[in-house]
Amino acid sequence: MEISLNEIIDYYAKADVSFVGAFGERISPELKVLGRHTNPAGGGLVIPFSGSACFTFDGKPYVIEPGMVVHAGPGMRLSKEVIGDREWEYAVIHYHIPQHERNEYPLFHKDFSLVHGHSAKVPHLVRQILDNQSIPGAAAKFQTKVLFLSLLQEIFTAACGQPGHEDSKLIEEAMGYIRLNYADELTVQKVADEFSTERRQFSYLFKRHTGMSPIHYLIECRISKAKELLGSPGCSVKQVAGWVGYTDSLYFSKAFKKYTGVSPSEYQQKSMGF
């Protein structure tokens, strides 16, 4: 089940959120970073400045571009890959909530995204936070806290004002449906019918919201799960192919190599340390 904007706002309104720190980074085109984890102690907001990248949290991919924010929980498996030939520039804002609130507010541990459009205030506030956090003294620390809360307010205000907010909700629900049913014989038509939307309109909205086609997203989900299964002992390539929705193991192998650069058997050998 997808997380609505209202649920996200309600979480930040009620939980005792505290700013922890922030960092900015520039990554060269076509760079891949694998085998990392998110901050083990806090939640994080990924906020892009320029370029495009695919971040995967615990096997769930997000194509991130300016105009959106992605949240990741603590200690999640992380991989990231720059898309296209532009440098990827982004910042991560880390925060935490008290230990005794973490069961009450499960969104702290989850990944989700929201679209705020191209609010000029969002990157401006982020850069202020990056600059201000290094200034010593209580006054600067207090100002950084104010900037963090102002950033959240601006993100939510801009997200609520998006003309396509209802469309975004539909696509978020469709993404959840695909993630739950990726092993079935899914087609774009079938998913569009599930949400009572015309196929071409659905494909257009999906790509505008995620940066990829519905079929591309379906394959990403299948390949991500296949990687996880191939890393488990006792699983053959043919079995994994069937488990992630491919009746033809040869076709699965071609698709896997296209998206990862290696064959399933090669990936399995590397995962097992052979």
Side-chain angles (χ1 to χ4, degrees):
M1 183 177 178
E2 288 302 309
I3 301 165
S4 71
L5 177 59
N6 286 338
E7 288 177 291
I8 296 170
I9 295 174
D10 187 64
Y11 157 56
Y12 280 101
K14 294 178 178 178
D16 184 14
V17 296
S18 299
F19 173 80
V20 173
F23 71 88
E25 188 174 23
R26 294 173 181 266
I27 302 180
S28 301
E30 300 181 1
L31 180 70
K32 295 182 181 180
V33 178
L34 306 174
R36 300 287 181 86
H37 286 80
T38 61
N39 187 311
L45 297 170
V46 181
I47 304 175
F49 294 136
S50 62
S52 177
C54 180
F55 275 45
T56 302
F57 300 105
D58 282 351
K60 181 178 173 182
Y62 291 89
V63 175
I64 310 176
E65 296 178 329
M68 67 184 296
V69 175
V70 175
H71 177 275
M76 288 184 160
R77 300 190 312 276
L78 166 67
S79 65
K80 48 190 174 181
E81 177 180 357
V82 179
I83 298 172
D85 57 2
R86 292 187 61 194
E87 184 179 63
W88 162 250
E89 184 183 6
Y90 71 105
V92 176
I93 308 293
H94 286 127
Y95 75 96
H96 70 73
I97 63 175
Q99 192 68 39
H100 68 270
E101 289 191 352
R102 296 186 182 187
N103 289 333
E104 183 180 357
Y105 299 109
L107 288 194
F108 176 73
H109 297 281
K110 296 186 178 182
D111 56 271
F112 53 83
S113 65
L114 57 86
V115 176
H116 65 77
H118 291 279
S119 166
K121 289 185 179 179
V122 170
H124 176 67
L125 286 166
V126 174
R127 293 188 189 281
Q128 281 188 291
I129 290 172
L130 291 171
D131 292 340
N132 208 72
Q133 68 174 348
S134 61
I135 301 173
K141 186 176 181 179
F142 176 77
Q143 180 61 25
T144 303
K145 180 179 180 179
V146 172
L147 288 169
F148 171 62
L149 295 176
S150 297
L151 173 65
L152 292 177
Q153 181 182 33
E154 178 58 27
I155 290 171
F156 298 145
T157 300
C160 288
Q162 289 301 296
H165 176 50
E166 287 303 313
D167 291 339
S168 297
K169 183 178 178 182
L170 180 148
I171 297 305
E172 292 289 343
E173 290 176 354
M175 292 168 72
Y177 178 82
I178 292 171
R179 289 196 300 275
L180 286 174
N181 300 280
Y182 65 85
D184 296 341
E185 293 183 13
L186 287 186
T187 63
V188 176
Q189 186 66 63
K190 183 175 181 179
V191 180
D193 289 345
E194 183 71 23
F195 293 90
S196 303
T197 307
E198 195 273 327
R199 183 182 62 80
R200 285 177 295 181
Q201 175 68 2
F202 174 75
S203 295
Y204 168 75
L205 292 174
F206 196 99
K207 188 164 187 178
R208 187 179 71 178
H209 182 77
T210 67
M212 67 176 78
S213 69
I215 289 297
H216 189 171
Y217 185 73
L218 172 61
I219 294 172
E220 289 270 6
C221 291
R222 287 175 168 174
I223 297 301
S224 178
K225 184 62 178 178
K227 287 180 178 179
E228 181 181 330
L229 292 170
L230 289 167
S232 303
C235 294
S236 71
V237 172
K238 186 174 182 179
Q239 285 176 318
V240 171
W243 289 336
V244 299
Y246 289 94
T247 55
D248 185 337
S249 59
L250 180 60
Y251 183 79
F252 163 69
S253 295
K254 289 181 178 178
F256 190 93
K257 187 167 185 177
K258 179 180 178 181
Y259 278 81
T260 66
V262 296
S263 70
S265 57
E266 289 172 328
Y267 184 88
Q268 190 171 45
Q269 289 174 354
K270 290 180 181 178
S271 298
M272 298 297 182
F274 296 147

